[in-house]
Amino acid sequence: MSRVYNFSAGPAVLPEEVLKEAQSDLLDYKGCGMSVMEMSHRSRVFDDIIKEAEKDFRTLVGVPDNYKVLFLQGGGTLQFAQIPMNLMKNRAADYIITGNWAKKAYQEAKIYGDAQAIASSEDKNFTYIPDCSDLPVRPEADYVYICENNTIYGTEYHKLPNTKGKVLVADVSSNFLSRPIDVEKYGLFFGGIQKNVGPAGMVITVIREDLITDDPLPGTPTLMKYKTQADKGSLYNTPNCWAIYICGLVFKWLLGMGGLEEMDRRNRKKAALLYDYLDQSKLFKGTVRKEDRSLMNVPFVTGDKDLDAEFVAEAEKAGLVNIKGHRTVGGMRASIYNAMPYEGVAALVTFMEDFEKKHLK
């Protein structure tokens, strides 16, 4: 069977070149006689893998020396607790709620202190990003938290909020490595890798060193202290060796493609193709305010649930899979991450055009 165009929001499409390289290494990694999935995380071979992965990530993103790069388990969801445990010194933090994941992070933070929602787009089912130019950031807040790209609802911050001098903490899971960022604008950012970087089972957290403390909230487990992992180079306990290895391959693929500037160019071109079609279509409609549209996740509907279901079923038969929208939005959602080729988006648009002609006769 030939490979399909996989529009899944995560776990998501990976570069075919990366999969082929992993396949060739599967039984015998570079002549060591074993797979990465079998080797000790304390071995010299794996030490080279994790160190090279971090080096390439730093080069790709432009991570300054005063930031730590941590390869952690538990996915993005565990960060919802780990962040307040480590950063909520005054037991206060301000959250901007732009979707399910920001809301879950906010609810988790309330367990550890006074988390307040200082802006929200829930009033319109998260179809826009609220004005963040003059937020009521509290003087006692330890940080301001955002989810930078909202996978379910298809919105994205195209300008970071004014945090009024407070530390910015960002969940960047679904636009991770999709475009250049200025790392120094963040105190901490993290990304679950399964959307745009690698296989499921790991999160990469980038944290400024002055935020790493010996004194997190009382009761913080040893493994949940950023200092524990930072001091041990992400090797305090057995890490997700396979995920780190695949991420390392993806970092090299991205560098070989021209880095994040080139990925930004490609992603904008793909998104423009799909959004331009949606804007002129008489059958399909996008669900997000234009200025807040995500370049990674594109939700759309016909306005008829039965027709939506027919479209999803027919698309799958045509090799355009995992395009059903999240249950809170309905309709369809095309996730067009870095590894989705332009040809995949073009194939989707052509299919949509044909479907529209058939149903608007």
Side-chain angles (χ1 to χ4, degrees), residues 14 20 34 38 42 64 80-81 88 98 109 124-125 145 147 161-162 166 181 187 249 274 285 312 321 339 341 348:
L14 284 165
K20 287 178 177 177
M34 69 184 96
E38 302 172 292
R42 305 293 181 191
F80 298 168
M88 205 186 266
T98 51
K124 294 183 179 177
N125 200 33
Y145 182 104
C147 180
N162 175 10
K166 297 296 181 181
I181 66 168
L249 296 183
L274 183 48
K285 295 290 179 285
V312 171
V321 305
L348 173 61

Side-chain angles (χ1 to χ4, degrees), residues 37-55:
M37 289 187 284
E38 302 172 292
M39 67 179 59
S40 168
H41 63 295
R42 305 293 181 191
S43 67
R44 178 190 57 78
V45 179
F46 185 75
D47 189 59
D48 289 343
I49 289 172
I50 191 170
K51 283 180 178 173
E52 188 161 356
E54 180 177 339
K55 177 176 71 70

Side-chain angles (χ1 to χ4, degrees), residues 13-219:
V13 61
L14 284 165
E16 194 166 330
E17 298 92 325
V18 166
L19 294 174
K20 287 178 177 177
E21 185 169 357
Q23 183 183 43
S24 70
D25 285 342
L26 188 61
L27 291 177
D28 180 4
Y29 176 75
K30 299 192 184 307
C32 76
M34 69 184 96
S35 171
V36 174
M37 289 187 284
E38 302 172 292
M39 67 179 59
S40 168
H41 63 295
R42 305 293 181 191
S43 67
R44 178 190 57 78
V45 179
F46 185 75
D47 189 59
D48 289 343
I49 289 172
I50 191 170
K51 283 180 178 173
E52 188 161 356
E54 180 177 339
K55 177 176 71 70
D56 286 343
F57 178 83
R58 286 181 174 274
T59 299
L60 189 64
V61 181
V63 180
D65 291 341
N66 65 322
Y67 284 74
K68 292 288 188 182
V69 176
L70 306 177
F71 299 106
L72 305 176
Q73 296 176 66
T77 302
L78 196 61
Q79 293 301 294
F80 298 168
Q82 193 163 3
I83 286 163
M85 282 179 172
N86 285 268
L87 301 190
M88 205 186 266
K89 293 295 187 180
N90 296 321
R91 301 272 186 161
D94 290 341
Y95 281 67
I96 302 170
I97 313 300
T98 51
N100 276 21
W101 303 117
K103 190 173 183 179
K104 285 178 183 289
Y106 162 63
Q107 290 167 337
E108 190 77 9
K110 289 198 288 186
I111 296 170
Y112 303 99
D114 181 19
Q116 287 197 12
I118 57 171
S120 174
S121 56
E122 192 167 11
D123 62 323
K124 294 183 179 177
N125 200 33
F126 301 122
T127 55
Y128 70 101
I129 299 293
D131 181 1
C132 297
S133 60
D134 187 22
L135 297 165
V137 179
R138 293 174 292 166
E140 67 273 22
D142 292 296
Y143 58 86
V144 175
Y145 182 104
I146 64 171
C147 180
E148 201 162 299
N149 186 90
N150 298 286
T151 322
I152 293 173
Y153 299 96
T155 60
E156 183 173 7
Y157 286 81
H158 297 293
K159 182 180 181 182
L160 293 175
N162 175 10
T163 64
K164 300 185 177 177
K166 297 296 181 181
V167 170
L168 176 63
V169 173
D171 175 354
V172 301
S173 296
S174 53
N175 63 352
F176 207 13
L177 305 187
S178 67
R179 54 182 169 79
I181 66 168
D182 183 352
V183 174
E184 292 183 320
K185 290 184 177 178
Y186 305 81
L188 180 154
F189 63 88
F190 69 90
I193 65 169
Q194 75 279 5
K195 296 178 183 296
N196 204 29
V197 186
M202 195 177 77
V203 61
I204 298 174
T205 295
V206 179
I207 179 171
R208 206 171 63 217
E209 288 181 348
D210 63 287
L211 297 175
I212 299 173
T213 177
D214 277 323
D215 186 30
L217 295 186

